[in-house]
């Protein structure tokens, strides 16, 4: 699991983005993404995969993308 923030006072950006991989009850793997403004209820997106490796591949890709856009790990 990773929790990242993007804070920029000049542009009023106060965002969070969290990634979490976990197995489901049916033998698949879920990549759960939580995101929104810090201090507010955010959104949840869940992607299902056949294997943990597939979920990890998207996890790594999203983590790198967010860090390149100014998010930092908390």
């Amino acid at each position: 699991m990773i929790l990242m923030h993007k804070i920029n006072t000049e542009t009023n950006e106060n965002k969070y983005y969290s990634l979490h991989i976990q197995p489901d009850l049916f033998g698949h793997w879920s990549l759960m993404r939580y995101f929104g403004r810090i201090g507010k209820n955010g959104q949840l997106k869940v992607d299902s995969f056949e294997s943990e490796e597939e979920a990890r591949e998207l996890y790594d890709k999203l983590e790198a993308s967010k860090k390149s856009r100014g998010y930092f790990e908390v």
Side-chain angles (χ1 to χ4, degrees):
M1 183 178 143
I2 187 170
L3 174 61
M4 297 179 281
H5 284 172
K6 181 176 184 181
I7 300 172
N8 186 336
T9 56
E10 294 176 6
T11 58
N12 195 27
E13 288 182 289
N14 296 304
K15 301 177 183 179
Y16 68 90
Y17 197 88
S18 177
L19 295 167
H20 181 73
I21 296 174
Q22 70 180 37
D24 65 16
L25 297 173
F26 306 104
H28 297 101
W29 290 85
S30 297
L31 172 61
M32 300 170 33
R33 301 185 240 178
Y34 300 93
F35 53 94
R37 286 185 62 86
I38 295 172
K40 302 286 183 181
N41 290 336
Q43 298 181 36
L44 168 65
K45 179 167 179 154
V46 179
D47 297 298
S48 294
F49 299 93
E50 294 291 323
S51 69
E52 184 178 7
E53 292 77 25
E54 290 175 307
R56 175 62 59 185
E57 195 174 300
L58 181 57
Y59 178 104
D60 292 340
K61 183 178 177 181
L62 290 169
E63 180 183 359
S65 173
K66 292 298 176 182
K67 285 184 176 179
S68 73
R69 293 181 182 168
Y71 282 79
F72 57 91
E73 194 169 344
V74 178

